[in-house]
Amino acid sequence: MNKTLVKEMNDQINRELFSAYLYLAMSAYFESESLDGFAHWMKIQASEEFSHAMKFYNFIGERGEAVELQAIDKPDSKFSSVQDIFEKTLTHEKFITKSINDLYVMAQKDNDNASIIFLDWFVTEQVEEEKNPSDILGKLKYIGKEGNGILMMDKELSARALPTFLPSGEIAGE
Ligand code: OFO
């Protein structure tokens, strides 16, 4: 594989693990605010990010390249509101989408079809990764800071199904 692409994929492991850290920090904030449904939703989001990192980890190894783990930055832990968190989530996911697109272009330039096919999954996934916080922000606009609405949404988000992630990064049963 192209060495720059391997390096960038290793960096992507770090970005995905940072995403998991960031969403765990957000989950902890929600717990401190007694919003257990939002906290549950963010914990699942964090697990998903770990599974994204594992997909890169496994792919790099399967291609006979070296995985190089790096230190994970400390995430922000100060948030001002539910809205603030989902705005930061959307901004972060847009950043991740850009990094996936950059990897895609690199793989295309190198005619690395195996990497292109691997990255296809992430290109599709990022559509959902941006849609989720964007949909929640859309609903929050109607609710504002109104307590009842936030509590109703908290109940709604508590129903997010808990997937079982396999070490491959895949979800059991899919
Ligand atoms: Fe891994 O997609 Fe979100 O960050």
Side-chain angles (χ1 to χ4, degrees), residues 19-62:
S19 301
Y21 248 36
L22 177 63
Y23 297 146
L24 268 186
M26 290 172 172
S27 181
Y29 167 86
F30 284 134
E31 270 177 37
S32 74
E33 293 288 312
S34 302
L35 291 171
D36 293 344
F38 282 97
H40 167 79
W41 194 93
M42 273 300 175
K43 261 186 213 157
I44 293 177
Q45 195 59 35
S47 313
E48 248 190 55
E49 299 302 350
F50 185 74
S51 80
H52 296 170
M54 288 308 294
K55 280 180 187 278
F56 278 99
Y57 175 101
N58 289 315
F59 182 75
I60 293 169
E62 280 162 11

mmCIF file of all heavy atoms in Angstrom, residues 19-62:
data_model
loop_
_atom_site.group_PDB
_atom_site.id
_atom_site.type_symbol
_atom_site.label_atom_id
_atom_site.label_comp_id
_atom_site.label_asym_id
_atom_site.label_seq_id
_atom_site.Cartn_x
_atom_site.Cartn_y
_atom_site.Cartn_z
ATOM 1 N N SER A 19 -13.200 10.350 18.554
ATOM 2 C CA SER A 19 -14.664 10.519 18.481
ATOM 3 C C SER A 19 -15.325 9.763 19.636
ATOM 4 O O SER A 19 -16.240 10.281 20.296
ATOM 5 C CB SER A 19 -15.222 9.981 17.164
ATOM 6 O OG SER A 19 -14.646 10.620 16.059
ATOM 7 N N ALA A 20 -14.860 8.524 19.878
ATOM 8 C CA ALA A 20 -15.428 7.725 20.981
ATOM 9 C C ALA A 20 -15.239 8.461 22.312
ATOM 10 O O ALA A 20 -16.167 8.550 23.131
ATOM 11 C CB ALA A 20 -14.763 6.351 21.024
ATOM 12 N N TYR A 21 -14.045 9.017 22.504
ATOM 13 C CA TYR A 21 -13.733 9.760 23.740
ATOM 14 C C TYR A 21 -14.646 10.976 23.898
ATOM 15 O O TYR A 21 -15.162 11.258 24.975
ATOM 16 C CB TYR A 21 -12.280 10.240 23.663
ATOM 17 C CG TYR A 21 -11.334 9.594 24.642
ATOM 18 C CD1 TYR A 21 -11.465 8.254 24.986
ATOM 19 C CD2 TYR A 21 -10.295 10.331 25.216
ATOM 20 C CE1 TYR A 21 -10.579 7.685 25.876
ATOM 21 C CE2 TYR A 21 -9.422 9.752 26.106
ATOM 22 C CZ TYR A 21 -9.562 8.426 26.430
ATOM 23 O OH TYR A 21 -8.691 7.870 27.314
ATOM 24 N N LEU A 22 -14.792 11.711 22.776
ATOM 25 C CA LEU A 22 -15.615 12.922 22.798
ATOM 26 C C LEU A 22 -17.062 12.570 23.166
ATOM 27 O O LEU A 22 -17.685 13.228 24.011
ATOM 28 C CB LEU A 22 -15.562 13.594 21.408
ATOM 29 C CG LEU A 22 -16.427 14.833 21.215
ATOM 30 C CD1 LEU A 22 -15.985 15.972 22.151
ATOM 31 C CD2 LEU A 22 -16.372 15.318 19.757
ATOM 32 N N TYR A 23 -17.585 11.497 22.558
ATOM 33 C CA TYR A 23 -18.982 11.149 22.825
ATOM 34 C C TYR A 23 -19.151 10.582 24.239
ATOM 35 O O TYR A 23 -20.209 10.754 24.849
ATOM 36 C CB TYR A 23 -19.510 10.199 21.738
ATOM 37 C CG TYR A 23 -19.500 10.868 20.371
ATOM 38 C CD1 TYR A 23 -19.257 10.172 19.198
ATOM 39 C CD2 TYR A 23 -19.698 12.252 20.263
ATOM 40 C CE1 TYR A 23 -19.221 10.816 17.966
ATOM 41 C CE2 TYR A 23 -19.661 12.908 19.037
ATOM 42 C CZ TYR A 23 -19.419 12.192 17.898
ATOM 43 O OH TYR A 23 -19.376 12.835 16.678
ATOM 44 N N LEU A 24 -18.102 9.963 24.754
ATOM 45 C CA LEU A 24 -18.176 9.515 26.158
ATOM 46 C C LEU A 24 -18.204 10.715 27.100
ATOM 47 O O LEU A 24 -18.921 10.724 28.100
ATOM 48 C CB LEU A 24 -16.962 8.644 26.504
ATOM 49 C CG LEU A 24 -17.109 7.139 26.326
ATOM 50 C CD1 LEU A 24 -15.860 6.446 26.849
ATOM 51 C CD2 LEU A 24 -18.348 6.586 27.012
ATOM 52 N N ALA A 25 -17.410 11.755 26.757
ATOM 53 C CA ALA A 25 -17.409 12.987 27.572
ATOM 54 C C ALA A 25 -18.797 13.624 27.534
ATOM 55 O O ALA A 25 -19.295 14.139 28.545
ATOM 56 C CB ALA A 25 -16.357 13.966 27.050
ATOM 57 N N MET A 26 -19.431 13.586 26.363
ATOM 58 C CA MET A 26 -20.785 14.144 26.240
ATOM 59 C C MET A 26 -21.776 13.304 27.050
ATOM 60 O O MET A 26 -22.683 13.842 27.706
ATOM 61 C CB MET A 26 -21.192 14.203 24.763
ATOM 62 C CG MET A 26 -20.424 15.246 23.971
ATOM 63 S SD MET A 26 -20.768 15.133 22.200
ATOM 64 C CE MET A 26 -19.940 16.613 21.587
ATOM 65 N N SER A 27 -21.584 11.982 27.001
ATOM 66 C CA SER A 27 -22.460 11.095 27.778
ATOM 67 C C SER A 27 -22.336 11.412 29.273
ATOM 68 O O SER A 27 -23.338 11.473 30.004
ATOM 69 C CB SER A 27 -22.089 9.632 27.495
ATOM 70 O OG SER A 27 -22.933 8.782 28.215
ATOM 71 N N ALA A 28 -21.104 11.631 29.704
ATOM 72 C CA ALA A 28 -20.879 11.937 31.133
ATOM 73 C C ALA A 28 -21.571 13.253 31.513
ATOM 74 O O ALA A 28 -22.151 13.373 32.592
ATOM 75 C CB ALA A 28 -19.380 12.023 31.412
ATOM 76 N N TYR A 29 -21.535 14.228 30.595
ATOM 77 C CA TYR A 29 -22.221 15.504 30.864
ATOM 78 C C TYR A 29 -23.719 15.251 31.018
ATOM 79 O O TYR A 29 -24.351 15.743 31.956
ATOM 80 C CB TYR A 29 -21.958 16.496 29.718
ATOM 81 C CG TYR A 29 -22.866 17.708 29.772
ATOM 82 C CD1 TYR A 29 -22.537 18.827 30.551
ATOM 83 C CD2 TYR A 29 -24.073 17.747 29.045
ATOM 84 C CE1 TYR A 29 -23.384 19.930 30.611
ATOM 85 C CE2 TYR A 29 -24.914 18.847 29.103
ATOM 86 C CZ TYR A 29 -24.568 19.934 29.881
ATOM 87 O OH TYR A 29 -25.409 21.024 29.941
ATOM 88 N N PHE A 30 -24.284 14.469 30.095
ATOM 89 C CA PHE A 30 -25.727 14.197 30.177
ATOM 90 C C PHE A 30 -26.066 13.489 31.489
ATOM 91 O O PHE A 30 -27.088 13.782 32.113
ATOM 92 C CB PHE A 30 -26.181 13.350 28.983
ATOM 93 C CG PHE A 30 -26.299 14.123 27.694
ATOM 94 C CD1 PHE A 30 -25.778 13.628 26.507
ATOM 95 C CD2 PHE A 30 -26.947 15.352 27.657
ATOM 96 C CE1 PHE A 30 -25.900 14.335 25.311
ATOM 97 C CE2 PHE A 30 -27.076 16.081 26.458
ATOM 98 C CZ PHE A 30 -26.548 15.561 25.300
ATOM 99 N N GLU A 31 -25.206 12.552 31.880
ATOM 100 C CA GLU A 31 -25.470 11.854 33.151
ATOM 101 C C GLU A 31 -25.470 12.834 34.309
ATOM 102 O O GLU A 31 -26.299 12.749 35.206
ATOM 103 C CB GLU A 31 -24.441 10.751 33.383
ATOM 104 C CG GLU A 31 -24.914 9.425 32.786
ATOM 105 C CD GLU A 31 -23.913 8.302 32.909
ATOM 106 O OE1 GLU A 31 -23.220 8.228 33.937
ATOM 107 O OE2 GLU A 31 -23.834 7.501 31.966
ATOM 108 N N SER A 32 -24.533 13.788 34.266
ATOM 109 C CA SER A 32 -24.460 14.759 35.359
ATOM 110 C C SER A 32 -25.695 15.661 35.384
ATOM 111 O O SER A 32 -26.009 16.278 36.392
ATOM 112 C CB SER A 32 -23.187 15.608 35.256
ATOM 113 O OG SER A 32 -23.314 16.542 34.202
ATOM 114 N N GLU A 33 -26.393 15.738 34.241
ATOM 115 C CA GLU A 33 -27.610 16.559 34.161
ATOM 116 C C GLU A 33 -28.868 15.697 34.340
ATOM 117 O O GLU A 33 -29.980 16.142 34.080
ATOM 118 C CB GLU A 33 -27.682 17.238 32.780
ATOM 119 C CG GLU A 33 -26.612 18.280 32.539
ATOM 120 C CD GLU A 33 -26.821 19.559 33.353
ATOM 121 O OE1 GLU A 33 -27.937 20.078 33.358
ATOM 122 O OE2 GLU A 33 -25.847 19.998 33.989
ATOM 123 N N SER A 34 -28.678 14.421 34.724
ATOM 124 C CA SER A 34 -29.786 13.452 34.900
ATOM 125 C C SER A 34 -30.574 13.222 33.614
ATOM 126 O O SER A 34 -31.767 12.912 33.660
ATOM 127 C CB SER A 34 -30.749 13.905 36.006
ATOM 128 O OG SER A 34 -30.050 14.062 37.204
ATOM 129 N N LEU A 35 -29.916 13.377 32.485
ATOM 130 C CA LEU A 35 -30.564 13.078 31.201
ATOM 131 C C LEU A 35 -30.057 11.710 30.730
ATOM 132 O O LEU A 35 -29.195 11.597 29.851
ATOM 133 C CB LEU A 35 -30.249 14.185 30.179
ATOM 134 C CG LEU A 35 -30.894 15.542 30.480
ATOM 135 C CD1 LEU A 35 -30.363 16.642 29.565
ATOM 136 C CD2 LEU A 35 -32.429 15.462 30.386
ATOM 137 N N ASP A 36 -30.593 10.672 31.347
ATOM 138 C CA ASP A 36 -30.054 9.328 31.129
ATOM 139 C C ASP A 36 -30.292 8.804 29.710
ATOM 140 O O ASP A 36 -29.519 7.993 29.205
ATOM 141 C CB ASP A 36 -30.640 8.354 32.156
ATOM 142 C CG ASP A 36 -30.162 8.692 33.562
ATOM 143 O OD1 ASP A 36 -29.173 9.450 33.688
ATOM 144 O OD2 ASP A 36 -30.779 8.215 34.534
ATOM 145 N N GLY A 37 -31.385 9.237 29.082
ATOM 146 C CA GLY A 37 -31.656 8.806 27.700
ATOM 147 C C GLY A 37 -30.628 9.375 26.738
ATOM 148 O O GLY A 37 -30.103 8.658 25.873
ATOM 149 N N PHE A 38 -30.328 10.650 26.876
ATOM 150 C CA PHE A 38 -29.286 11.271 26.032
ATOM 151 C C PHE A 38 -27.934 10.602 26.315
ATOM 152 O O PHE A 38 -27.148 10.357 25.399
ATOM 153 C CB PHE A 38 -29.170 12.770 26.345
ATOM 154 C CG PHE A 38 -30.244 13.631 25.723
ATOM 155 C CD1 PHE A 38 -31.371 14.001 26.441
ATOM 156 C CD2 PHE A 38 -30.116 14.084 24.415
ATOM 157 C CE1 PHE A 38 -32.353 14.809 25.869
ATOM 158 C CE2 PHE A 38 -31.094 14.899 23.839
ATOM 159 C CZ PHE A 38 -32.215 15.263 24.570
ATOM 160 N N ALA A 39 -27.675 10.320 27.600
ATOM 161 C CA ALA A 39 -26.399 9.687 27.982
ATOM 162 C C ALA A 39 -26.278 8.307 27.331
ATOM 163 O O ALA A 39 -25.222 7.951 26.790
ATOM 164 C CB ALA A 39 -26.314 9.562 29.501
ATOM 165 N N HIS A 40 -27.383 7.555 27.347
ATOM 166 C CA HIS A 40 -27.411 6.220 26.735
ATOM 167 C C HIS A 40 -27.130 6.325 25.235
ATOM 168 O O HIS A 40 -26.307 5.587 24.680
ATOM 169 C CB HIS A 40 -28.809 5.617 26.989
ATOM 170 C CG HIS A 40 -29.116 4.405 26.180
ATOM 171 N ND1 HIS A 40 -28.628 3.158 26.501
ATOM 172 C CD2 HIS A 40 -29.865 4.240 25.039
ATOM 173 C CE1 HIS A 40 -29.068 2.277 25.604
ATOM 174 N NE2 HIS A 40 -29.805 2.916 24.708
ATOM 175 N N TRP A 41 -27.774 7.270 24.575
ATOM 176 C CA TRP A 41 -27.605 7.462 23.119
ATOM 177 C C TRP A 41 -26.131 7.754 22.805
ATOM 178 O O TRP A 41 -25.556 7.188 21.876
ATOM 179 C CB TRP A 41 -28.499 8.619 22.660
ATOM 180 C CG TRP A 41 -28.681 8.727 21.183
ATOM 181 C CD1 TRP A 41 -29.688 8.181 20.438
ATOM 182 C CD2 TRP A 41 -27.829 9.425 20.244
ATOM 183 N NE1 TRP A 41 -29.520 8.494 19.103
ATOM 184 C CE2 TRP A 41 -28.393 9.253 18.957
ATOM 185 C CE3 TRP A 41 -26.665 10.172 20.369
ATOM 186 C CZ2 TRP A 41 -27.825 9.805 17.807
ATOM 187 C CZ3 TRP A 41 -26.089 10.709 19.216
ATOM 188 C CH2 TRP A 41 -26.669 10.529 17.956
ATOM 189 N N MET A 42 -25.512 8.606 23.605
ATOM 190 C CA MET A 42 -24.116 8.973 23.358
ATOM 191 C C MET A 42 -23.155 7.820 23.659
ATOM 192 O O MET A 42 -22.112 7.692 23.004
ATOM 193 C CB MET A 42 -23.726 10.194 24.193
ATOM 194 C CG MET A 42 -24.039 11.509 23.536
ATOM 195 S SD MET A 42 -23.178 11.711 21.944
ATOM 196 C CE MET A 42 -23.905 13.256 21.409
ATOM 197 N N LYS A 43 -23.507 6.993 24.634
ATOM 198 C CA LYS A 43 -22.644 5.830 24.928
ATOM 199 C C LYS A 43 -22.643 4.883 23.738
ATOM 200 O O LYS A 43 -21.596 4.332 23.373
ATOM 201 C CB LYS A 43 -23.175 5.077 26.153
ATOM 202 C CG LYS A 43 -22.446 5.433 27.428
ATOM 203 C CD LYS A 43 -22.916 4.553 28.563
ATOM 204 C CE LYS A 43 -22.874 5.351 29.843
ATOM 205 N NZ LYS A 43 -23.760 4.848 30.865
ATOM 206 N N ILE A 44 -23.802 4.689 23.138
ATOM 207 C CA ILE A 44 -23.869 3.808 21.963
ATOM 208 C C ILE A 44 -23.074 4.437 20.819
ATOM 209 O O ILE A 44 -22.352 3.749 20.091
ATOM 210 C CB ILE A 44 -25.340 3.547 21.554
ATOM 211 C CG1 ILE A 44 -26.013 2.723 22.650
ATOM 212 C CG2 ILE A 44 -25.421 2.834 20.210
ATOM 213 C CD1 ILE A 44 -27.467 2.455 22.431
ATOM 214 N N GLN A 45 -23.174 5.754 20.696
ATOM 215 C CA GLN A 45 -22.411 6.457 19.663
ATOM 216 C C GLN A 45 -20.904 6.219 19.861
ATOM 217 O O GLN A 45 -20.167 5.962 18.918
ATOM 218 C CB GLN A 45 -22.748 7.959 19.717
ATOM 219 C CG GLN A 45 -22.326 8.745 18.505
ATOM 220 C CD GLN A 45 -22.946 8.230 17.210
ATOM 221 O OE1 GLN A 45 -24.089 7.766 17.202
ATOM 222 N NE2 GLN A 45 -22.187 8.278 16.132
ATOM 223 N N ALA A 46 -20.489 6.286 21.134
ATOM 224 C CA ALA A 46 -19.068 6.052 21.445
ATOM 225 C C ALA A 46 -18.656 4.632 21.049
ATOM 226 O O ALA A 46 -17.584 4.426 20.468
ATOM 227 C CB ALA A 46 -18.805 6.301 22.931
ATOM 228 N N SER A 47 -19.525 3.647 21.329
ATOM 229 C CA SER A 47 -19.194 2.254 20.959
ATOM 230 C C SER A 47 -19.076 2.125 19.449
ATOM 231 O O SER A 47 -18.209 1.408 18.939
ATOM 232 C CB SER A 47 -20.281 1.266 21.403
ATOM 233 O OG SER A 47 -20.652 1.490 22.702
ATOM 234 N N GLU A 48 -19.965 2.824 18.747
ATOM 235 C CA GLU A 48 -19.909 2.778 17.279
ATOM 236 C C GLU A 48 -18.573 3.297 16.780
ATOM 237 O O GLU A 48 -17.983 2.749 15.855
ATOM 238 C CB GLU A 48 -21.017 3.673 16.711
ATOM 239 C CG GLU A 48 -22.098 2.881 16.014
ATOM 240 C CD GLU A 48 -23.058 3.786 15.249
ATOM 241 O OE1 GLU A 48 -22.629 4.596 14.404
ATOM 242 O OE2 GLU A 48 -24.241 3.657 15.519
ATOM 243 N N GLU A 49 -18.101 4.362 17.415
ATOM 244 C CA GLU A 49 -16.820 4.944 16.990
ATOM 245 C C GLU A 49 -15.670 3.971 17.224
ATOM 246 O O GLU A 49 -14.750 3.881 16.412
ATOM 247 C CB GLU A 49 -16.548 6.270 17.712
ATOM 248 C CG GLU A 49 -17.570 7.346 17.459
ATOM 249 C CD GLU A 49 -17.736 7.700 15.985
ATOM 250 O OE1 GLU A 49 -16.938 7.250 15.145
ATOM 251 O OE2 GLU A 49 -18.686 8.437 15.686
ATOM 252 N N PHE A 50 -15.743 3.241 18.332
ATOM 253 C CA PHE A 50 -14.708 2.234 18.589
ATOM 254 C C PHE A 50 -14.738 1.187 17.468
ATOM 255 O O PHE A 50 -13.693 0.743 16.986
ATOM 256 C CB PHE A 50 -14.910 1.585 19.966
ATOM 257 C CG PHE A 50 -13.809 0.643 20.328
ATOM 258 C CD1 PHE A 50 -12.567 1.115 20.712
ATOM 259 C CD2 PHE A 50 -13.998 -0.733 20.240
ATOM 260 C CE1 PHE A 50 -11.526 0.243 21.010
ATOM 261 C CE2 PHE A 50 -12.970 -1.615 20.544
ATOM 262 C CZ PHE A 50 -11.728 -1.130 20.937
ATOM 263 N N SER A 51 -15.944 0.813 17.048
ATOM 264 C CA SER A 51 -16.047 -0.185 15.979
ATOM 265 C C SER A 51 -15.509 0.382 14.665
ATOM 266 O O SER A 51 -14.908 -0.354 13.873
ATOM 267 C CB SER A 51 -17.489 -0.685 15.826
ATOM 268 O OG SER A 51 -18.263 0.229 15.092
ATOM 269 N N HIS A 52 -15.679 1.679 14.427
ATOM 270 C CA HIS A 52 -15.091 2.278 13.214
ATOM 271 C C HIS A 52 -13.558 2.176 13.263
ATOM 272 O O HIS A 52 -12.909 1.852 12.277
ATOM 273 C CB HIS A 52 -15.495 3.755 13.087
ATOM 274 C CG HIS A 52 -16.971 3.966 12.889
ATOM 275 N ND1 HIS A 52 -17.561 5.195 12.943
ATOM 276 C CD2 HIS A 52 -17.971 3.079 12.637
ATOM 277 C CE1 HIS A 52 -18.872 5.067 12.733
ATOM 278 N NE2 HIS A 52 -19.138 3.790 12.552
ATOM 279 N N ALA A 53 -13.007 2.478 14.443
ATOM 280 C CA ALA A 53 -11.548 2.385 14.600
ATOM 281 C C ALA A 53 -11.088 0.951 14.325
ATOM 282 O O ALA A 53 -10.060 0.730 13.666
ATOM 283 C CB ALA A 53 -11.140 2.818 16.010
ATOM 284 N N MET A 54 -11.866 -0.024 14.813
ATOM 285 C CA MET A 54 -11.481 -1.433 14.633
ATOM 286 C C MET A 54 -11.515 -1.849 13.170
ATOM 287 O O MET A 54 -10.733 -2.699 12.733
ATOM 288 C CB MET A 54 -12.394 -2.357 15.466
ATOM 289 C CG MET A 54 -12.132 -2.289 16.956
ATOM 290 S SD MET A 54 -10.383 -2.539 17.378
ATOM 291 C CE MET A 54 -10.139 -4.238 16.884
ATOM 292 N N LYS A 55 -12.436 -1.262 12.407
ATOM 293 C CA LYS A 55 -12.470 -1.583 10.972
ATOM 294 C C LYS A 55 -11.147 -1.157 10.318
ATOM 295 O O LYS A 55 -10.578 -1.904 9.533
ATOM 296 C CB LYS A 55 -13.644 -0.867 10.290
ATOM 297 C CG LYS A 55 -14.995 -1.562 10.478
ATOM 298 C CD LYS A 55 -16.089 -0.769 9.768
ATOM 299 C CE LYS A 55 -17.459 -1.329 10.072
ATOM 300 N NZ LYS A 55 -17.808 -2.486 9.238
ATOM 301 N N PHE A 56 -10.666 0.038 10.638
ATOM 302 C CA PHE A 56 -9.375 0.499 10.085
ATOM 303 C C PHE A 56 -8.225 -0.365 10.606
ATOM 304 O O PHE A 56 -7.345 -0.759 9.849
ATOM 305 C CB PHE A 56 -9.138 1.983 10.412
ATOM 306 C CG PHE A 56 -9.848 2.909 9.466
ATOM 307 C CD1 PHE A 56 -11.053 3.498 9.815
ATOM 308 C CD2 PHE A 56 -9.325 3.172 8.208
ATOM 309 C CE1 PHE A 56 -11.729 4.336 8.925
ATOM 310 C CE2 PHE A 56 -9.986 4.014 7.305
ATOM 311 C CZ PHE A 56 -11.195 4.594 7.673
ATOM 312 N N TYR A 57 -8.263 -0.639 11.904
ATOM 313 C CA TYR A 57 -7.219 -1.464 12.533
ATOM 314 C C TYR A 57 -7.096 -2.804 11.788
ATOM 315 O O TYR A 57 -6.013 -3.236 11.411
ATOM 316 C CB TYR A 57 -7.602 -1.657 14.008
ATOM 317 C CG TYR A 57 -6.727 -2.569 14.810
ATOM 318 C CD1 TYR A 57 -5.759 -2.048 15.664
ATOM 319 C CD2 TYR A 57 -6.895 -3.955 14.752
ATOM 320 C CE1 TYR A 57 -4.958 -2.888 16.425
ATOM 321 C CE2 TYR A 57 -6.105 -4.800 15.510
ATOM 322 C CZ TYR A 57 -5.138 -4.263 16.346
ATOM 323 O OH TYR A 57 -4.356 -5.095 17.105
ATOM 324 N N ASN A 58 -8.240 -3.453 11.579
ATOM 325 C CA ASN A 58 -8.232 -4.767 10.923
ATOM 326 C C ASN A 58 -7.818 -4.669 9.457
ATOM 327 O O ASN A 58 -7.070 -5.505 8.964
ATOM 328 C CB ASN A 58 -9.615 -5.426 11.037
ATOM 329 C CG ASN A 58 -9.887 -5.873 12.462
ATOM 330 O OD1 ASN A 58 -9.032 -6.461 13.113
ATOM 331 N ND2 ASN A 58 -11.066 -5.576 12.980
ATOM 332 N N PHE A 59 -8.301 -3.636 8.782
ATOM 333 C CA PHE A 59 -7.979 -3.498 7.358
ATOM 334 C C PHE A 59 -6.476 -3.302 7.147
ATOM 335 O O PHE A 59 -5.865 -3.937 6.276
ATOM 336 C CB PHE A 59 -8.768 -2.331 6.743
ATOM 337 C CG PHE A 59 -8.530 -2.155 5.277
ATOM 338 C CD1 PHE A 59 -9.099 -3.024 4.347
ATOM 339 C CD2 PHE A 59 -7.711 -1.128 4.802
ATOM 340 C CE1 PHE A 59 -8.858 -2.876 2.983
ATOM 341 C CE2 PHE A 59 -7.474 -0.973 3.440
ATOM 342 C CZ PHE A 59 -8.052 -1.838 2.528
ATOM 343 N N ILE A 60 -5.885 -2.438 7.970
ATOM 344 C CA ILE A 60 -4.433 -2.182 7.834
ATOM 345 C C ILE A 60 -3.661 -3.496 8.020
ATOM 346 O O ILE A 60 -2.777 -3.832 7.234
ATOM 347 C CB ILE A 60 -3.976 -1.102 8.852
ATOM 348 C CG1 ILE A 60 -4.595 0.249 8.498
ATOM 349 C CG2 ILE A 60 -2.446 -0.994 8.895
ATOM 350 C CD1 ILE A 60 -4.437 1.321 9.582
ATOM 351 N N GLY A 61 -4.033 -4.261 9.040
ATOM 352 C CA GLY A 61 -3.369 -5.546 9.291
ATOM 353 C C GLY A 61 -3.587 -6.538 8.163
ATOM 354 O O GLY A 61 -2.648 -7.230 7.737
ATOM 355 N N GLU A 62 -4.819 -6.600 7.660
ATOM 356 C CA GLU A 62 -5.130 -7.545 6.575
ATOM 357 C C GLU A 62 -4.338 -7.225 5.306
ATOM 358 O O GLU A 62 -4.055 -8.116 4.506
ATOM 359 C CB GLU A 62 -6.635 -7.500 6.253
ATOM 360 C CG GLU A 62 -7.474 -8.307 7.234
ATOM 361 C CD GLU A 62 -8.953 -7.922 7.184
ATOM 362 O OE1 GLU A 62 -9.362 -7.193 6.255
ATOM 363 O OE2 GLU A 62 -9.678 -8.346 8.096
#
